[in-house]
Amino acid sequence: MLKFALAGNPNSGKTTLFNALTGSTAHVGNWPGVTVDKREGVYKKLNVPVSIVDLPGIYSLSPYTPEEVISRNFLLEEKPDCVINIVDATNLERNLYLTTQILEIDVPVVIALNMMDAVKKRGDKLDAKKLEERTGVPVAEISALKEEGIRELMERAYRAAQQKREGKTVLEETKLAHLIGDVKIALEGKKVENPLFHAVKLTEGDELEVKAHPEELKTVQAFKERCADVGSDYEALVADARYRYITAHFSSALVRSPRAKKQDRSDRADRVLTHRIWGIPLFLLILFSLFHLTFGEDFLYLNAIFGFAKDVEDSGYAVLTGNDTLNAFVAVFYSTAGISTPGAILFNLMGFACDQAGGAIAAGLESAGAYAWAQGLVNDGIWAGLSGVLSFVPQILFLFLLISVLEDSGYMARVAFILDRAFRRFGLSGRAFIPMIMGFGCSVPAAINTRTLADEKERIMTNRVIPFFTCGAKAPILAAVCGAIASVYTGVNADLLVFALYVFGMAMAVVSVAIMRQTSMRGEVAPFIMELPSYHLPQFRSLMVHLWDKLKHYIKKAFTIIVASAIVIWFLSSFDWSWKMTDISQSILYDIGSFVQWICTPMGFGLQLGEYGWVFVVAAVTGLIAKENVIATFYVLVPAIGAVLPGWDDGENGIGAVVALMQGTGITWQALIAFTVFNMLTIPCFAAAATVRAETPKGKFRYTLAFWMLTSFVTASAVYLVLSWWWTVFVAAAILAIFVAWCVLRNRRPCRAQKTGKNSCARE
Amino acid sequence: MEKRLNELKAGESGEVLRIEGEGQIRRRIFDMGVTPGAKILLRKLAPLGDPIEVTVRGYELTLRKSEAACVVMLIKK
């Protein structure tokens, strides 16, 4: 099968084109570095099927970060039949810089001028014919987003792939042409493939080439000595020559419209969002509205301000219709707390649906006369576990939608820009914040995205703290715990509490990085050079694609891992050591739980909770498999305990289950918060842990595991102590303040040292 | 007048004369289109005063002042 590779600058639309060509739903976003691994699909609309490979974006063929190495190696070693070089037509010069390098490889190339719709909209003119003449390869105008010109592009690529093409360089008219020619001949003699490409890169002094061809390097050095008049900085000479050639020969193909100078919408948006004073407060506000809209029960705090939602008697419903089911339905949108936010509505709706479905299933089994164990398995095992996860899915998807909007709009890159300075104090570059924000969705893609970080230490640290950015699977724990606390104690806002916990996780990430920078990961902060893409309105279709992917992922997880775990928990809690069905007080789980319960005493959910306090330990342990399991375990165990102990509430939904636990075990709100913190900071789920392991260097994972366990245990204990006995806050604050001050002072020194270091040139 | 990129004020612009420093960062600066002859406009500073945002070759680039210090510019009055 023919193989075409998609290569181009980051954020030039490779993945959008890939999706359009292959009908895939790969993740796209409006920031550089979304794709970090190659990905294959098939284009079927030509006479023969063609394999399409989507490569991570690169600015040049001299790699800088690990994911860029993937692209270079693919182009050189895997010998695609044709390279489709995607060029962002709105950013022609810099994109063509890569093109001049790709043209040096002995491979058929087709240039796809993407975003032609944006160029036309601006009133600019781009002469594709001219570009075609000057590059010597076919040029096709496309709009990957609108799927225009794609058919023609593929036909031209197909024709180009039929013929061999020899590499050509734009450096022929420079003083280095002779040298490059000599090295090329030497490499040809050795039967090196792509001799021209390697010759140019060796002349540039590319690190990989210098290692691979030590003999030819001598030729370069000899030339340097002989022709001192050319200059000795060949790296600069080559880069300069490429851009000079581009400005001289290609740039004339683009005629800018006179009105293009006018400030466009993107500029205006940027003025506000990265404002000197308002930039950071706005970022925090945006983050807060994200969580308010998802978890809040009082939309825009209208009720807190105007106080219109009055408690109607003791029914718990804000509106009484005279019909219980109808009451419950109205309560989906409107509760005693006020008008529900979109996220809360989704949660309530799904909870309502789950209740109805659960009731129907139970009634169905009852009337069918199923065995008691079968009823238990389905009602208290499978369904309890499933509904525990499913009831949160729409709400979490809504949070995802909001994060996707941020990603698609181009704001993510600005966040890195705004926060770089603050982050540097603690030893990270602003770039590292992008994978961290992705961690709010799921730690797995976030950990993979750390490949865009150039510095190895920064990559390790980022991988370690990504789980502290509460992911979609941990969100239900926060929602359930905070919701329960808010419903038991008046005057507590669930969404404020959730937001505080999210912020706490972020703060812990920053603090942990600072600690690592002072201990095991000393070194300079990685440089920060990044493209800021134009803002654009999020595409409805790509948002839906994101959501659909997430939904599939959740459903798959719910019906496999979660159901399996719930069945195991149900089994252990319903059978005794001689495999006889019994109630929970005789069960296997009771013995195991009681045996390990003491470990959690410093965190407030150990021995002080009495007989059934081990529920929390068990939940936390099942959370190691998948974090959704924590709530699913509550769902399974609460009714089981309720069956033995009088006075336990059944807990109809996630929040209810936690309320029941509060009343049943007497766990304090302080301990509940500590429990949540423990789950946020401890070893993430299997999938995330395995990904982190794969993305960090060998031998480091042991330390990473130890780091997670230690951090979660110590922090959760501290949280419990401080919240329970307020005066301990002074002790904790003093320790923290001393530590942070020490970090800031120590980090200043490397910053200053860096200015005189090899990579910088500030005047003394 | 010669100035370094980190010394420019918001709204000031100039032409790149040369890039100092060495190693991968310098290479990256070249790759991003900051080469001798390129025109650069300093658009703004980040809220905390660093990094800076510049327009070069028709797109927006952000880099730290410590990296921008490697870029020597010619400012025309």
Side-chain angles (χ1 to χ4, degrees):
Chain A
M1 186 153 57
L2 283 175
K3 191 160 40 177
F4 293 178
L6 303 181
N9 277 190
N11 216 31
S12 62
K14 292 173 298 300
T15 304
T16 310
L17 177 61
F18 176 80
N19 286 347
L21 287 174
T22 61
S24 316
T25 56
H27 192 114
V28 290
N30 183 20
W31 44 282
V34 183
T35 307
V36 289
D37 209 346
K38 60 175 189 243
R39 166 184 312 121
E40 290 194 53
V42 179
Y43 180 70
K44 293 172 186 151
K45 290 183 187 155
L46 290 173
N47 301 335
V48 288
V50 181
S51 159
I52 307 284
V53 184
D54 182 24
L55 295 173
I58 42 176
Y59 291 110
S60 126
L61 285 173
S62 295
Y64 181 72
T65 58
E67 101 272 16
E68 294 185 6
V69 177
I70 297 173
S71 296
R72 169 176 160 138
N73 288 352
F74 188 89
L75 291 180
L76 292 177
E77 284 156 23
E78 307 266 329
K79 298 187 202 86
D81 296 286
C82 179
V83 174
I84 298 178
N85 174 210
I86 305 196
V87 166
D88 173 359
T90 60
N91 188 353
L92 200 60
E93 285 185 22
R94 200 202 60 218
N95 274 261
L96 286 173
Y97 178 75
L98 175 69
T99 308
T100 62
Q101 298 183 35
I102 292 179
L103 289 175
E104 282 159 6
I105 306 175
D106 299 335
V107 67
V109 178
V110 173
I111 294 175
L113 280 176
N114 193 18
M115 311 199 198
M116 281 309 290
D117 50 328
V119 171
K120 281 174 194 154
K121 208 170 154 192
R122 260 204 251 168
D124 298 351
K125 285 208 177 70
L126 221 173
D127 192 345
K129 274 267 148 42
K130 206 170 191 173
L131 211 57
E132 198 164 291
E133 278 164 27
R134 302 217 159 142
T135 53
V137 295
V139 175
E141 296 180 28
I142 65 163
S143 164
L145 195 65
K146 298 192 172 154
E147 306 196 4
E148 287 167 3
I150 287 176
R151 174 93 205 204
E152 202 206 333
L153 168 73
M154 291 310 285
E155 276 164 6
R156 300 186 82 168
Y158 181 72
R159 278 202 297 276
Q162 309 304 315
Q163 290 154 8
K164 280 230 158 64
R165 184 183 155 277
E166 210 172 298
K168 253 182 67 183
T169 178
V170 299
L171 303 168
E172 266 157 14
E173 289 153 30
T174 64
K175 290 174 180 167
L176 292 174
H178 268 297
L179 171 63
I180 293 170
D182 287 352
V183 177
K184 183 186 164 199
I185 291 166
L187 289 173
E188 264 171 349
K190 283 189 175 176
K191 299 228 158 45
V192 174
E193 286 183 34
N194 301 312
L196 177 67
F197 174 83
H198 289 291
V200 175
K201 283 285 161 206
L202 189 65
T203 309
E204 283 180 50
D206 180 271
E207 274 171 40
L208 299 170
E209 298 294 330
V210 168
K211 266 182 222 151
H213 309 290
E215 275 176 48
E216 287 71 22
L217 184 66
K218 284 177 198 152
T219 320
V220 178
Q221 273 154 355
F223 185 86
K224 249 185 208 175
E225 278 160 31
R226 244 184 314 133
C227 313
D229 60 313
V230 179
S232 60
D233 187 358
Y234 290 178
E235 193 182 14
L237 278 175
V238 172
D240 186 29
R242 286 191 202 280
Y243 271 112
R244 268 180 213 285
Y245 191 90
I246 291 166
T247 4
H249 296 86
F250 300 152
S251 298
S252 59
L254 179 72
V255 183
R256 286 197 193 276
S257 132
R259 64 186 177 94
K261 282 210 162 175
K262 213 178 70 184
Q263 212 187 29
D264 60 9
R265 268 201 297 187
S266 176
D267 285 333
R268 263 178 283 154
D270 202 46
R271 276 219 170 159
V272 180
L273 290 171
T274 61
H275 188 269
R276 268 312 283 260
I277 296 162
W278 300 116
I280 292 180
L282 259 176
F283 165 68
L284 293 175
L285 185 71
I286 289 174
L287 210 57
F288 177 71
S289 19
L290 221 70
F291 298 122
H292 171 66
L293 290 177
T294 313
F295 298 108
E297 289 188 318
D298 182 6
F299 185 61
L300 299 178
Y301 296 107
L302 291 175
N303 185 41
I305 300 166
F306 301 109
F308 48 78
K310 296 268 180 332
D311 207 342
V312 180
E313 293 160 11
D314 292 328
S315 62
Y317 297 120
V319 177
L320 286 180
T321 56
N323 174 324
D324 270 359
T325 316
L326 200 58
N327 279 347
F329 187 72
V330 172
V332 162
F333 304 95
Y334 188 83
S335 70
T336 50
I339 302 169
S340 305
T341 57
I345 291 176
L346 287 171
F347 172 72
N348 294 339
L349 263 181
M350 195 64 189
F352 182 75
C354 279
D355 279 356
Q356 305 294 326
I361 292 174
L365 280 174
E366 182 88 52
S367 66
Y371 289 113
W373 67 264
Q375 285 192 25
L377 174 66
V378 175
N379 291 334
D380 309 331
I382 298 173
W383 177 251
L386 255 186
S387 62
V389 179
L390 291 182
S391 60
F392 284 101
V393 165
Q395 192 178 21
I396 303 307
L397 281 182
F398 183 72
L399 180 65
F400 257 111
L401 177 75
L402 297 179
I403 294 176
S404 299
V405 169
L406 287 191
E407 265 192 68
D408 259 24
S409 64
Y411 185 60
M412 286 286 249
R414 264 74 183 191
V415 173
F417 171 71
I418 293 174
L419 292 180
D420 176 70
R421 186 75 192 82
F423 256 50
R424 196 169 2 142
R425 269 284 151 88
F426 297 96
L428 280 179
S429 76
R431 183 68 184 81
F433 204 64
I434 295 183
M436 290 181 188
I437 291 199
M438 287 180 79
F440 282 139
C442 175
S443 297
V444 172
I448 295 173
N449 195 268
T450 57
R451 285 180 204 171
T452 54
L453 303 175
D455 180 61
E456 184 177 89
K457 283 181 177 164
E458 183 164 78
R459 245 184 346 260
I460 297 172
M461 290 191 294
T462 309
N463 264 303
R464 283 181 180 167
V465 301
I466 278 176
F468 297 179
F469 287 72
T470 308
C471 72
K474 289 177 192 164
I477 310 176
L478 270 67
V481 166
C482 297
I485 293 176
S487 73
V488 171
Y489 298 90
T490 46
V492 181
N493 250 319
D495 51 341
L496 270 177
L497 204 54
V498 169
F499 185 62
L501 281 167
Y502 267 95
V503 170
F504 183 77
M506 291 161 67
M508 277 310 295
V510 170
V511 170
S512 311
V513 167
I515 295 176
M516 280 189 263
R517 268 296 187 208
Q518 297 304 322
T519 51
S520 60
M521 295 274 152
R522 284 175 197 220
E524 284 179 11
V525 178
F528 179 68
I529 305 176
M530 196 175 134
E531 175 187 2
L532 295 176
S534 310
Y535 291 91
H536 63 61
L537 281 179
Q539 298 294 322
F540 179 76
R541 211 182 121 203
S542 93
L543 288 181
M544 288 305 118
V545 164
H546 282 198
L547 281 196
W548 175 237
D549 266 9
K550 275 295 145 199
L551 181 65
K552 270 196 300 194
H553 172 80
Y554 265 112
I555 300 294
K556 216 166 107 187
K557 209 163 153 193
F559 280 92
T560 51
I561 302 171
I562 313 289
V563 165
S565 308
I567 290 175
V568 170
I569 292 292
W570 170 81
F571 177 79
L572 290 176
S573 66
S574 320
F575 285 78
D576 63 13
W577 293 96
S578 53
W579 309 115
K580 278 222 299 279
M581 199 168 168
T582 172
D583 63 40
I584 193 160
S585 61
Q586 311 288 321
S587 67
I588 301 172
L589 198 66
Y590 184 94
D591 291 346
I592 300 177
S594 309
F595 185 67
V596 292
Q597 191 178 353
W598 61 274
I599 301 174
C600 300
T601 310
M603 295 184 282
F605 49 97
L607 291 176
Q608 57 271 70
L609 296 188
E611 211 186 345
Y612 287 98
W614 51 263
V615 171
F616 292 96
V617 192
V618 170
V621 171
T622 56
L624 299 182
I625 302 164
K627 292 293 167 197
E628 290 93 335
N629 269 341
V630 175
I631 293 297
T633 303
F634 284 167
Y635 265 71
V636 175
L637 292 182
V638 166
I641 301 172
V644 231
L645 288 185
W648 272 64
D649 204 359
D650 258 14
E652 274 305 314
N653 54 32
I655 294 169
V658 180
V659 172
L661 279 169
M662 284 174 86
Q663 288 158 351
T665 64
I667 188 170
T668 57
W669 65 269
Q670 295 94 334
L672 268 179
I673 297 283
F675 172 75
T676 314
V677 167
F678 178 79
N679 278 299
M680 280 162 59
L681 304 182
T682 197
I683 305 170
C685 63
F686 272 176
T691 315
V692 168
R693 184 183 179 165
E695 296 299 326
T696 48
K698 263 193 177 164
K700 292 276 181 205
F701 188 63
R702 280 177 290 159
Y703 301 112
T704 307
L705 278 181
F707 164 74
W708 285 331
M709 285 196 278
L710 196 73
T711 314
S712 53
F713 194 81
V714 171
T715 314
S717 304
V719 164
Y720 175 62
L721 286 176
V722 168
L723 291 178
S724 300
W725 295 279
W726 65 271
W727 50 267
T728 52
V729 77
F730 295 117
V731 184
I735 296 172
L736 197 74
I738 292 170
F739 182 77
V740 169
W742 182 64
C743 281
V744 169
L745 287 175
R746 289 224 15 192
N747 246 27
R748 262 191 182 165
R749 237 170 288 149
C751 266
R752 258 189 232 133
Q754 198 188 355
K755 282 188 181 157
T756 53
K758 61 170 183 165
N759 282 327
S760 75
C761 0
R763 265 186 279 194
E764 291 303 309
Chain B
M1 188 177 53
E2 263 186 44
K3 247 190 187 180
R4 278 162 199 272
L5 182 55
N6 62 325
E7 297 164 347
L8 258 61
K9 289 195 190 68
E12 233 181 325
S13 65
E15 209 178 287
V16 178
L17 276 181
R18 60 179 184 278
I19 317 289
E20 292 176 352
E22 58 187 54
Q24 276 204 319
I25 296 170
R26 181 164 188 259
R27 161 105 234 163
R28 188 63 162 190
I29 292 177
F30 284 137
D31 290 345
M32 300 308 284
V34 180
T35 58
K39 290 186 181 58
I40 298 188
L41 163 73
L42 185 87
R43 286 174 60 98
K44 66 158 86 76
L45 305 175
L48 296 170
D50 194 15
I52 58 174
E53 183 184 336
V54 300
T55 303
V56 58
R57 299 188 187 274
Y59 79 99
E60 318 302 327
L61 177 72
T62 170
L63 70 172
R64 286 207 194 113
K65 282 185 167 173
S66 55
E67 276 97 50
C70 302
V71 182
V72 183
M73 313 269 306
L74 182 70
I75 317 285
K76 281 174 209 143
K77 277 284 160 185

